[in-house]
Amino acid sequence: MLSSMTTSFVARLRANDQAAWFELWETFGPVVRAQLTKWGNGRIGAETVRDLSQETMAALSNSIDRYDPSRGARFSTWLLAIAKHVLGDEMDRRMAAKRGSGKKTATLEDAWMAGSREARVDDAYEAAVFRAKVEAAIRKVERECEFTDFEIFRMRVLDGKSGKDVADAVGVSEPTVSRRLAKVREILRARVAETVAIFSFTEEELHEGERNGLVQSPNKADDVLFDEAVAEIFHRQLELRAAEEAGGRR
Amino acid sequence: MPILFGIIAAVFGLALVAIVLTVVLVPIFRGIGWLVSHVFAFVGGEIRDALRLVGAAITAVIFSLLVVANILIFRWSASAHFGRAFSAEIGAGAASVYRILVGHPARLLGLNTLVEGLERRVPDAVAAAPTADRPSRRTGQFENYRIIGSLPGGGSGGKLYIAEPDDLKLASFARNGQRDVEQVVIKSFSLQDGSSLPQIVRESRALDAAKKLGLVLDHELSPERFFYVMRYVPGESLGLVTQHLHAASPDGGLSNANLGRSLGYIEKLLGTLSRYHRGGLWHKDVKPDNIIIHGDDAHLVDFGLITPLRSAMTLTTHGTEYFRDPEMVRMALKGVKVHEVDGAKFDIYAAGAVLYSVVENQFPAHGGLSQISKRCPDAVRWIIRRSMTEYAKRYPNADAMLADLEFVRRAADPFAIKPAELPSVAGGASLGCRGRAGARRGIHVCPAPGRGRPGRPCPGRGRRPRLRVVRGRPRGRAGRRRGSGP
């Protein structure tokens, strides 16, 4: 059963709300590009991958009206199946359907709704989709928090600096650093829950946060674990983007 | 008793063996594992590229046959199409040969940095190479100008020529107060040469704005073509200069001297942006490839997207990925009008992204969340973050960012400066992030008395940074100018 937030987001997509589509593209574009690069196996360049990731979103927008939540596909599977379709389409275009030959490009089937057999989901991809959700939550927090508060969070949690170093850098006391950090953490907890809920189609996806150490119950010990989990997820996502950037240069 | 000693000795012996195994054998096995994986990667890479080479050769033969066949049946366009495909296959084959002979063996020997120039800088330079030195016959000549060269075309679709004005034209420039013009850049759009009407309309819209700043020397609009003339500054793009500076610095990041030079370029950029903004304009396409370095000067070029800050038009998503504020895209997609936002802040985001790319030698692929891994003063990190943060919390104007940057660059040891000491922070601009309401009120931030440099006027008032010549510039490895959102 879809959460109300997912339903409303899907409704925005169906209504062709460009801001919603941009949010989807901004959040999952890197994951889709990484997957397309992997499938392309060196046969498609970075520029083409960029174009294809945009085409994936266009294909999603064409198929959104046919989305049937009762058939139980995961959000990640949905995204992956469409990406695979777009890549296959591109390969068809290149290999056989040279312009004027009369061969039609691939048509999108509804197989993805029940989890396409062709678009196999591997653990690395699932993890990347989840990390993208957490990254989107961090972005929301960045937009929402005071600049200095977020910088304290960035230095302390994402850059791993000590409380004293952060306090020195920003020119505040250590207790102030802790207080502001707690404030940002609280907002981040809420945004992670919210973002995961928006981009989840199944119950299993909804609980990915807890399985990855992003526990929602606030206590001192959990705070440390939460910070470590966030930093770990964030840095893994950075690696994905760095790999994508390196792939673009080869 | 002897049995007990025996047991204790055995336990100690076992512990000792375990420690030896851990300390000695584990690293050895790890090393062997690394070596094996390295060799497998090499062999795998060689096999893959050998197969790619064979595939490219077969495909190239097929394409060459198609080229000939289409020539024989007078299908010139199809022939040219297959000719391009043939060239692409030859290029792919050549790249495979390079990787088989040089790339993979060099990586096997751990010489990654050795081939970096070949694999990165050479393709970039080749991609940025100018096109034909003469305008096509269809475009025609430019009266009173002698074409002496060309520049790579940018994302705007215009063609760029370097030219020398004749005496008549020089006299005309002098009458308009434009002296010391030696060479110019002509940016030309011709419908016959493939430019589209929207491109021409967009560029001509920017013309009035550019003239206000004295950036355009001459222009002509006719039914066939549109062109305008700017001063020419020789030099290299900041993108290429950044690569050179990093190549000449240690692995961990820019050396002190090169960091100082780089920050100097960004200061010049901010001075120029400040002048644009005070003139009521917004550049909209600030990126390393649009900044030309000539000596110690940095010249902002290409004003194809310049927009008046008070324009009544709807925001568009034009700009270059990585250097374009995602917030601007969101606003554009919501149909926000240009005059409803402070466009100067989008230039400030781009300036921060440029500063990031100079420090990191990478694009800020992660937007405002991009990590800074190279050697960089904390205060500069703060400046990058503050310029790339959310719209309402960003530096209120280019001068505020410039004041912070100057403060760091002129310090005896930039690495000793803490973010809290920056003029914008010490003056309360940062800690008192005023949010959207503050931004709407256009709050002006000045360094706090006594904390900034003494006797310095409040930035944003009275400073007249130099603005130098402009010429059209191309897209670069940063990616293309994007015409629209997703």
Side-chain angles (χ1 to χ4, degrees), chain B residues 136-158:
Chain B
S136 68
R137 238 178 294 166
R138 283 179 303 184
T139 307
Q141 297 299 312
F142 301 94
E143 206 177 338
N144 302 114
Y145 295 97
R146 189 170 69 87
I147 306 292
I148 57 169
S150 68
L151 293 166
S156 60

Side-chain angles (χ1 to χ4, degrees), chain B residues 461-481:
Chain B
R461 292 174 196 142
R463 292 186 78 252
R464 302 288 297 175
R466 282 180 304 170
L467 180 71
R468 294 295 180 85
V469 188
V470 173
R471 71 176 185 186
R473 275 296 296 177
R475 74 184 189 193
R477 68 187 170 97
R480 291 167 289 179
R481 174 182 292 166

Side-chain angles (χ1 to χ4, degrees), chain B residues 238-461:
Chain B
L238 182 60
L240 275 177
V241 170
T242 299
Q243 287 181 32
H244 295 153
L245 291 177
H246 276 269
S249 297
D251 269 352
L254 291 171
S255 63
N256 282 355
N258 287 338
L259 180 69
R261 279 180 68 186
S262 306
L263 296 185
Y265 299 145
I266 307 300
E267 278 184 15
K268 294 274 165 48
L269 167 69
L270 288 168
T272 304
L273 287 178
S274 172
R275 165 105 190 267
Y276 270 75
H277 300 160
R278 283 204 302 272
L281 299 170
W282 158 31
H283 185 277
K284 214 182 176 199
D285 200 15
V286 177
K287 59 178 175 179
D289 292 304
N290 277 346
I291 299 162
I292 302 300
I293 304 301
H294 181 59
D296 285 335
D297 274 337
H299 308 273
L300 184 59
V301 300
D302 193 346
F303 40 82
L305 293 181
I306 282 188
T307 309
L309 290 167
R310 303 302 305 161
S311 169
M313 296 185 70
T314 307
L315 272 174
T316 67
T317 57
H318 290 107
T320 302
E321 200 178 354
Y322 300 135
F323 299 94
R324 176 186 60 182
D325 183 5
E327 191 65 27
M328 183 187 83
V329 178
R330 272 186 218 104
M331 290 178 180
L333 294 175
K334 284 178 187 163
V336 173
K337 303 283 182 196
V338 172
H339 67 86
E340 290 171 343
V341 293
D342 183 359
K345 286 200 169 190
F346 301 131
D347 274 350
I348 292 170
Y349 177 94
V354 171
L355 178 54
Y356 174 93
S357 72
V358 164
V359 168
E360 279 289 291
N361 198 21
Q362 290 260 6
F363 312 123
H366 222 79
L369 292 180
S370 300
Q371 284 287 95
I372 299 169
S373 59
K374 296 273 168 71
R375 182 173 178 270
C376 174
D378 281 349
V380 174
R381 287 171 194 263
W382 184 275
I383 294 170
I384 293 171
R385 305 301 186 204
R386 179 87 198 275
S387 52
M388 293 180 75
T389 190
E390 200 259 343
Y391 173 86
K393 293 169 243 166
R394 205 167 291 162
Y395 281 109
N397 51 51
D399 287 323
M401 184 176 171
L402 178 60
D404 277 359
L405 202 61
E406 282 179 338
F407 186 82
V408 177
R409 196 164 89 90
R410 292 178 189 170
D413 178 10
F415 285 86
I417 302 286
K418 293 192 175 4
E421 295 170 289
L422 290 171
S424 66
V425 183
S430 173
L431 288 166
C433 295
R434 290 167 164 85
R436 290 174 196 281
R440 277 199 298 272
R441 288 196 299 273
I443 290 165
H444 187 83
V445 178
C446 299
R451 295 298 291 270
R453 280 173 290 120
R456 189 175 181 282
C458 176
R461 292 174 196 142

Side-chain angles (χ1 to χ4, degrees), chain A residues 186-207:
Chain A
E186 191 185 333
I187 297 171
L188 181 58
R189 274 203 167 98
R191 293 299 157 265
V192 166
E194 182 186 298
T195 312
V196 168
I198 289 174
F199 298 117
S200 294
F201 288 172
T202 64
E203 277 294 316
E204 190 202 356
E205 282 178 298
L206 268 174
H207 295 106

Side-chain angles (χ1 to χ4, degrees), chain B residues 73-104:
Chain B
I73 57 173
F74 305 110
R75 289 178 62 182
W76 308 115
S77 299
S79 167
H81 169 76
F82 289 118
R84 284 191 292 275
F86 174 79
S87 304
E89 291 301 327
I90 294 295
S96 296
V97 170
Y98 161 79
R99 285 193 294 266
I100 289 169
L101 298 181
V102 182
H104 295 312

